[in-house]
Amino acid sequence: MRLYAVVAAGGFRRYATYRVATFAGVFTNTVFGFIMAYTYTALWDERPHLGGYDLSQAVTYVWLGQALLMTCAMMGGGFEDELVERIRTGDIAVDLYRPADLQLWWLAGDLGRAAFHLLGRGIVPMVLGAFAFELALPADPLTWLAFLLAVALGVVVSFAIRFLVALSAFWLMDGAGAAQMAMLAGMFFSGLLLPLNLFPGVLGEVARALPWSSLLQVPADVFLGKHTGWDLAGAYAFQAGWALALLATGRLLQGVATRRVVVQGG
């Protein structure tokens, strides 16, 4: 476990070196946060309590989305492009022969990346949003802790999805198409564009049942106090269930790919 802790710390330091990119990202998240916040304000003025949120909660949802956009990699980004390239070039064979688990290695690095983005690109836009708008910030410290746990589970679910996308390159030889599809699904089904509570009928039920809802919708509802008691436990179980299922699928495909590499190498 010490090895993976070092890898996670290395992932944090790696992204911390790109200071100009971080500043640009904070600026972009803040600008889009203001655009979305004013759009939501206009919408909620016409339809108060839309989706079960009041105006303050709706605007808070916007800034949570900007804070978690890169943390949970809703539009992709992170390790998957590098992993796809290593698969395409054959360098993945070296990784598979290393005395370290491939999935855990990339997961550790992605956790470090997520931690940096939460601190480096998440806090500042949220603080600026709090100065400009009346946000529904929790008064109970336990709610903040519950939110952070939901975010951590969301990051794991996000990693598991992107790991599967990257592994598709073993069979497709180019993960660009799968990555584009995952990006569109992440934007739409995470609740980044609109809260999933606003989706009507069967579409809303399906959207809330898909793993992408773990990236934003579930953490945001935990932050806004929509999940408490056993309902909170159910939200965690939903996220953990998807994380375990997707990680297990990734491990299965990793094993198939490893045997393929060994056979070809032999």
Side-chain angles (χ1 to χ4, degrees), residues 42-263:
L43 178 59
W44 258 259
D45 282 342
E46 293 294 325
R47 298 283 300 276
H49 301 287
L50 186 63
Y53 301 127
D54 60 27
L55 177 58
S56 178
Q57 291 173 328
V59 174
T60 303
Y61 184 97
V62 168
W63 291 104
L64 287 171
Q66 295 305 309
L68 298 182
L69 174 61
M70 289 301 296
T71 302
C72 292
M74 293 176 224
M75 297 175 61
F79 72 93
E80 58 267 33
D81 291 340
E82 182 179 352
L83 181 54
V84 166
E85 182 64 16
R86 293 188 69 80
I87 293 172
R88 190 186 67 80
T89 60
D91 291 340
I92 191 66
V94 178
D95 300 335
L96 292 172
Y97 280 111
R98 286 174 178 165
D101 183 83
L102 181 71
Q103 188 183 59
L104 289 178
W105 176 281
W106 290 101
L107 173 58
D110 199 57
L111 290 175
R113 174 206 62 79
F116 171 76
H117 281 310
L118 181 62
L119 297 174
R121 290 184 59 169
I123 292 178
V124 174
M126 193 77 179
V127 170
L128 293 175
F131 278 116
F133 300 91
E134 182 181 350
L135 302 188
L137 302 178
D140 188 353
L142 292 179
T143 303
W144 288 90
L145 293 177
F147 166 70
L148 290 177
L149 178 56
V151 170
L153 289 170
V155 170
V156 176
V157 172
S158 172
F159 164 82
I161 294 172
R162 290 176 289 127
F163 187 70
L164 289 173
V165 170
L167 289 183
S168 69
F170 275 110
W171 292 271
L172 301 177
M173 295 308 297
D174 184 358
Q180 287 292 325
M181 293 175 62
M183 181 193 72
L184 293 174
M187 288 178 59
F188 189 75
F189 291 113
S190 67
L192 180 62
L193 300 179
L194 279 174
L196 302 183
N197 297 340
L198 274 62
F199 288 16
V202 176
L203 175 60
E205 294 177 6
V206 171
R208 289 187 292 271
L210 292 175
W212 289 280
S213 65
S214 297
L215 278 57
L216 173 57
Q217 186 67 59
V218 174
D221 281 342
V222 171
F223 188 89
L224 295 172
K226 300 296 183 180
H227 295 301
T228 58
W230 285 108
D231 192 40
L232 177 60
Y236 288 152
F238 172 81
Q239 290 181 293
W242 270 118
L244 291 174
L246 293 169
L247 288 173
T249 304
R251 186 161 293 277
L252 177 63
L253 292 182
Q254 175 184 318
V256 173
T258 299
R259 289 192 291 273
R260 180 180 179 182
V261 170
V262 170
V263 169

